Amino acid sequence: MTVELEDYYAARASEYDRIYAKPERQDDLRAVERWLAQAFAGKSVIEIACGTGYWTQFIAPDSGSVLALDASHEVLAIARSRVTAPHVSFVIGDAYRPPEGTAPFESAFAGFWLSHVPKARLGEFLEGLHRTLAPGAKVVLLDNLYVEGSSTPISEEDAQGNTYQARKLDDGSVHRVLKNFPSEHDLREMVAGIATDVVYRRWRYFWALEYACSREAPFTDSPAASPTTAAR
Ligand SMILES: C[S@@+](CC[C@H](N)C(=O)[O-])C[C@H]1O[C@@H](n2cnc3c(N)ncnc32)[C@H](O)[C@@H]1O
């Protein structure tokens, strides 16, 4: 069993897109793809943990520009071959330390990432992300709802309330992966004081949280610094 998320996704790179072939999720996927395609129209976007670029391919066409980062060279190689538009860049990076010193981004997207953030690091993640954004920038977080029979069962829960799955790869290796499933209440509490215009959307298999980043709020005093619950 390995616990390193980056190692797990590097090993899973060539298998990753099978998750998007689950028959029961196809209607939801088409609906989310249509919605996301227009959500960043004309805006510069920073995409966190872009993986194989599955969502980048829908966001990119109408966006002003996309800087997509991920910790794994293996998934980025697939993303780069999938999305070749000149206004899209893929870079190796850490979701907890997104690039600073670039022009503030007008929007941010993270697909199926928040669920892998330990509860104790949610504030750190959001603070780092918001530092790269212009005041009022639009943030969209997209992730899984837990659906019995479709989701990988939860195998354990730690003292902080993080949940874990035992995931098997084609080579037979089994990986202990932190995967949280936050409720709407958890998500709203997470961004209370640091966001405005908060909208929670829900499909059968997925949820999305959309908000405007209000940078004026001091992160250390916000509930995001000590959220109670988080999120495949
Ligand atoms: C569940 S996948 C999501 C990929 C993509 N966003 C999607 O929805 O198809 C999680 C991604 O997080 C990446 N990752 C893991 N730890 C990371 C870190 N510290 N910083 C950036 N990316 C990381 C993995 O390499 C993997 O591509």
Side-chain angles (χ1 to χ4, degrees), residues 40-111:
F40 302 99
K43 294 182 187 294
S44 59
V45 188
I46 181 167
E47 182 180 355
I48 302 295
C50 63
T52 59
Y54 183 85
W55 298 106
T56 321
Q57 69 184 324
F58 301 107
I59 290 167
D62 285 348
S63 69
S65 64
V66 182
L67 179 70
L69 73 84
D70 198 281
S72 159
H73 289 281
E74 289 83 353
V75 299
L76 284 177
I78 297 171
R80 286 191 181 104
S81 63
R82 171 177 260 153
V83 185
T84 58
H87 67 297
V88 179
S89 314
F90 292 100
V91 295
I92 198 87
D94 183 356
Y96 296 100
R97 290 181 187 74
E100 288 188 54
T102 50
F105 292 93
E106 296 164 321
S107 63
F109 173 71

Side-chain angles (χ1 to χ4, degrees), residues 158-180:
D158 68 17
Q160 289 73 48
N162 297 294
T163 51
Y164 296 81
Q165 297 167 328
R167 298 188 181 180
K168 197 171 179 182
L169 295 180
D170 285 352
D171 65 4
S173 60
V174 178
H175 301 250
R176 176 179 180 263
V177 177
L178 187 153
K179 180 76 182 178
N180 286 325

Side-chain angles (χ1 to χ4, degrees), residues 25 28-29 32 112 143-145 202-207:
R25 300 186 183 183
D28 266 22
L29 285 169
V32 175
F112 304 88
D143 224 302
N144 297 93
L145 292 166
R202 195 187 157 106
W203 295 266
R204 173 142 172 62
Y205 294 94
F206 309 115
W207 59 260

Side-chain angles (χ1 to χ4, degrees), residues 96 98 100 121-133 194 215 218-220 224-225:
Y96 296 100
E100 288 188 54
R121 298 193 76 181
L122 284 170
E124 175 191 353
F125 165 62
L126 290 175
E127 183 167 0
L129 176 63
H130 287 200
R131 257 196 221 112
T132 70
L133 303 179
I194 58 167
R215 294 195 56 190
F219 280 94
T220 45

Side-chain angles (χ1 to χ4, degrees), residues 5-6 9 16 20 49-51 55 70-72 93-95 111-113 116:
L5 193 65
E6 290 115 284
Y9 278 107
Y16 185 78
Y20 295 117
C50 63
W55 298 106
D70 198 281
S72 159
D94 183 356
F112 304 88
W113 163 250
H116 292 307

Side-chain angles (χ1 to χ4, degrees), residues 110 112-117 119 122-123 125-126 130 139-146 180-203 206-211 222-231:
F112 304 88
W113 163 250
L114 195 79
S115 53
H116 292 307
V117 177
K119 292 180 180 187
L122 284 170
F125 165 62
L126 290 175
H130 287 200
V139 178
V140 176
L141 306 172
L142 171 71
D143 224 302
N144 297 93
L145 292 166
Y146 185 84
N180 286 325
F181 295 90
S183 66
E184 176 179 356
H185 174 81
D186 297 332
L187 293 165
R188 288 186 180 278
E189 192 173 65
M190 179 184 79
V191 298
I194 58 167
T196 59
D197 306 326
V198 182
V199 178
Y200 175 82
R201 293 171 208 277
R202 195 187 157 106
W203 295 266
F206 309 115
W207 59 260
L209 191 75
E210 182 181 345
Y211 63 86
S222 81
S226 55
T228 51
T229 332

